[in-house]
Amino acid sequence: MPGVTKEHAPILTIVKVKSKQTIDIGTGKITNHEESEEIGILDRRAFLNVLNNTNRGLASPELLRRLNEYETLIYLEESSVHDEKWEKATTDKVRIENLLIREILHGYKRLVMKLDIEDNHSITMLDEYYN
């Protein structure tokens, strides 16, 4: 996406939920309405499904550690009420997402250069965007 920084274009899905509650004064009836909007390039659920269905035998130890941290933080975030623990899990999850993306790209670049299967143009573009 030209002209968009990585901070403004999340790779993994962020769900923004708007809640609205109306009360009919005459009847006392309460109506709740929620709207969800997904922002991102890749759905978090699809990402986790790919991870869980992939042979991790050739993955670096650092990548495996980040994947396990990420999966744990998502579990904590989704199972907690919005309290201090939830806030910490969410903050840590965003930090791990960025480290996870960097580790995936680092492994990709290392493999491409080792196998000499592509010109350096795509690697240069990745370096410019993620460094």
Side-chain angles (χ1 to χ4, degrees), residues 26-99:
T27 63
K29 182 179 177 183
I30 299 173
T31 306
N32 295 314
H33 179 71
E34 285 189 353
E35 291 179 17
S36 295
E37 177 184 356
E38 290 188 1
I39 305 166
I41 297 169
L42 177 66
D43 177 52
R44 182 185 300 159
R45 293 276 167 237
F47 180 71
L48 288 175
N49 283 337
V50 168
L51 294 180
N52 290 328
N53 293 318
T54 300
N55 181 350
R56 298 181 182 191
L58 297 176
S60 72
E62 182 70 13
L63 180 59
L64 291 174
R65 185 170 71 86
R66 298 285 181 219
L67 292 172
N68 288 330
E69 283 178 304
Y70 185 69
E71 202 163 7
T72 301
L73 289 167
I74 286 175
Y75 173 78
L76 290 173
E77 182 185 47
E78 290 178 350
S79 64
S80 298
V81 293
H82 293 270
D83 60 3
E84 189 176 303
K85 290 179 183 179
W86 179 87
E87 190 173 318
K88 181 165 176 31
T90 301
T91 302
D92 287 348
K93 181 188 58 81
V94 171
R95 181 180 58 81
I96 295 298
E97 277 181 0
N98 288 319
L99 293 172

Side-chain angles (χ1 to χ4, degrees), residues 108-109 112 118-128:
Y108 169 77
K109 291 187 318 186
V112 166
E118 196 173 321
D119 64 11
N120 288 335
H121 178 70
S122 64
I123 292 174
T124 304
M125 285 178 26
L126 289 173
D127 284 338
E128 288 173 3

